[in-house]
């Protein structure tokens, strides 16, 4: 498959997913193959995976892991986007997973807070307020793909912090 081939979502398969380690990572271990709302599926997977990560790692270790996952995610997203013919193909969900882990790391404990974090992150990821929109529309590479969701995460964290501060 060359970088100019464009695969529609329905053509993606487990064969593609396992054809290269970058595809497996960028497609969120398969969650990006969801026929409905792959970004939401990736974010839900992130939530599920975060629970054992949180139990095993302290804050500093988890923050370090997130930095490594972001840095290694850029080339994985680049390779997968090139193979799919679209830098921000819908099946690429690593850009949802790592930033949502950051939101959960900064989130107060409890299911209600985590549920609110999920909804806020998905809202800001879809709406893409600036500068997320800039990275989404103007930075057409894997870093831009990852960065726009990082800004969505920052907005979600900010709202959670404000709500927690004011005790709303």
């Amino acid at each position: 498959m060359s970088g100019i081939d464009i695969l529609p979502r329905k053509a993606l398969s487990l064969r593609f997913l396992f054809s290269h380690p970058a595809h497996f990572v960028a497609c969120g271990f398969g969650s990006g193959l969801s026929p409905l709302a792959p970004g939401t599926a990736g974010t839900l997977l992130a939530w599920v995976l975060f629970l054992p990560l949180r139990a095993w790692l302290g804050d500093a270790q988890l923050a370090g892991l997130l930095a490594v996952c972001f840095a290694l995610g850029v080339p994985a997203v680049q390779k997968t986007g090139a193979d799919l013919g679209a830098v921000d193909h819908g099946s690429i969900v690593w850009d949802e997973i790592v930033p949502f882990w950051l939101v959960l790391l900064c989130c107060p404990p409890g299911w209600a807070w985590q549920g609110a974090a999920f909804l806020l992150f998905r809202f800001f990821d879809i709406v893409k307020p600036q500068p997320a929109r800039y990275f989404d529309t103007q930075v057409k590479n894997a870093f831009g793909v990852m960065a726009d969701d990082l800004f969505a995460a920052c907005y979600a964290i900010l709202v959670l912090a404000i709500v927690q501060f004011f005790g709303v």
Side-chain angles (χ1 to χ4, degrees):
M1 178 170 11
S2 72
I4 59 171
D5 294 334
I6 298 177
L7 293 178
R9 179 177 316 285
K10 65 181 180 180
L12 294 181
S13 65
L14 290 177
R15 183 174 180 213
F16 174 80
L17 183 70
F18 291 108
S19 67
H20 194 282
H23 300 166
F24 186 70
V25 170
C27 294
F29 315 123
S31 63
L33 301 183
S34 171
L36 298 172
T40 300
T43 307
L44 285 170
L45 176 67
W47 194 355
V48 170
L49 294 176
F50 183 81
L51 299 174
L53 290 174
R54 181 87 213 124
W56 296 330
L57 302 172
D59 288 351
Q61 293 169 315
L62 195 48
L65 176 65
L66 297 184
V68 168
C69 287
F70 186 93
L72 295 177
V74 172
V77 168
Q78 185 70 36
K79 165 72 174 149
T80 304
D83 289 349
L84 291 171
V87 70
D88 197 5
H89 192 276
S91 66
I92 296 172
V93 296
W94 193 247
D95 57 317
E96 274 84 27
I97 291 172
V98 177
F100 189 59
W101 283 342
L102 177 63
V103 175
L104 291 172
L105 177 62
C106 297
C107 181
W111 291 104
W113 282 106
Q114 290 180 0
F118 175 84
L119 293 173
L120 286 167
F121 176 71
R122 292 305 301 142
F123 172 78
F124 288 120
D125 184 29
I126 292 165
V127 173
K128 297 197 186 309
Q130 293 293 359
R133 183 174 300 128
Y134 171 81
F135 281 93
D136 182 55
T137 61
Q138 302 300 315
V139 183
K140 293 299 186 184
N141 59 32
F143 179 77
V145 171
M146 295 290 291
D148 85 71
D149 290 81
L150 185 58
F151 282 106
C154 291
Y155 279 112
I157 292 166
L158 178 63
V159 171
L160 289 169
I162 290 169
V163 170
Q164 185 181 25
F165 180 79
F166 288 108
V168 177

